[in-house]
Amino acid sequence: MESQYITFGAQLGDPKADKAVGQFITRISILLNKHCNKVYCKEVDEIAPTIFVDGNLWYWKFEGFQRLRLSKKHRYIEIHIGMPRERWEIVNTIKIKKYLISHLKTALELMIKRLKKEKYEVNEIDLWSDFAKVEEEFLINSHEN
């Protein structure tokens, strides 16, 4: 099995966070694999944003982006996205979905900016064209899962 180029990992703080957010992380990952599974930068083998969703058992207490890291040796770039409880608790699924996809998009923008700072060539035209398909399909299919 071929590995996915853009992965979207998650650390979910408790079963409630998993129930509210986990299904959408899975859906985004499937769509990324479907639409964005090609190399956009030949110097990296994986683009790896990870979301940390606060809950009762585990919590990270940050919102936004932390730990943007490019590993030249291991050929990957990662960033951590923080999602506090108030962003998933007592809000509707549309707000959760919009939060996830917009933060994923910003994370990708930050990672691309870092790659370009290192003088890496990034095929942004294809990446954003492919990501637009992920975004559209994810937001249109609100009834799934």
Side-chain angles (χ1 to χ4, degrees):
M1 185 168 112
E2 198 174 308
S3 63
Q4 196 166 332
Y5 187 70
I6 300 176
T7 60
F8 190 34
Q11 292 286 319
L12 302 165
D14 63 23
K16 286 182 181 178
D18 182 37
K19 186 173 185 199
V21 180
Q23 62 183 317
F24 302 126
I25 303 298
T26 302
R27 182 71 184 138
I28 290 171
S29 294
I30 289 166
L31 292 171
L32 286 169
N33 192 42
K34 177 181 175 183
H35 296 294
C36 297
N37 205 13
K38 62 183 170 193
V39 175
Y40 299 102
C41 177
K42 66 184 189 311
E43 290 89 359
V44 295
D45 297 327
E46 182 181 12
I47 296 174
T50 302
I51 191 159
F52 292 80
V53 183
D54 286 349
N56 282 331
L57 300 175
W58 300 285
Y59 40 88
W60 296 270
K61 295 184 180 180
F62 80 97
E63 182 171 24
F65 308 93
Q66 291 183 354
R67 201 173 178 264
L68 174 60
R69 180 171 185 258
L70 172 62
S71 173
K72 294 178 181 181
K73 180 180 177 181
H74 297 290
R75 299 179 49 87
Y76 72 86
I77 188 166
E78 69 177 0
I79 193 168
H80 292 178
I81 305 165
M83 184 177 192
R85 291 175 65 145
E86 60 268 16
R87 298 296 182 187
W88 63 264
E89 209 172 42
I90 322 169
V91 297
N92 66 38
T93 58
I94 301 299
K95 285 187 178 181
I96 294 170
K97 290 179 80 169
K98 286 181 178 181
Y99 185 94
L100 291 171
I101 203 73
S102 71
H103 279 70
L104 175 58
K105 186 175 188 176
T106 302
L108 291 172
E109 290 168 351
L110 292 168
M111 289 188 281
I112 289 167
K113 185 177 178 182
R114 174 67 194 275
L115 291 170
K116 290 170 79 175
K117 182 180 175 188
E118 295 294 325
K119 307 289 189 229
Y120 286 3
E121 189 174 316
V122 180
N123 184 346
E124 285 187 82
I125 293 170
D126 282 356
L127 173 62
W128 293 122
S129 173
D130 295 343
F131 186 79
K133 296 171 194 167
V134 171
E135 187 174 24
E136 180 181 12
E137 199 170 325
F138 179 67
L139 292 175
I140 285 174
N141 296 325
S142 296
H143 64 280
E144 289 189 29
N145 289 340

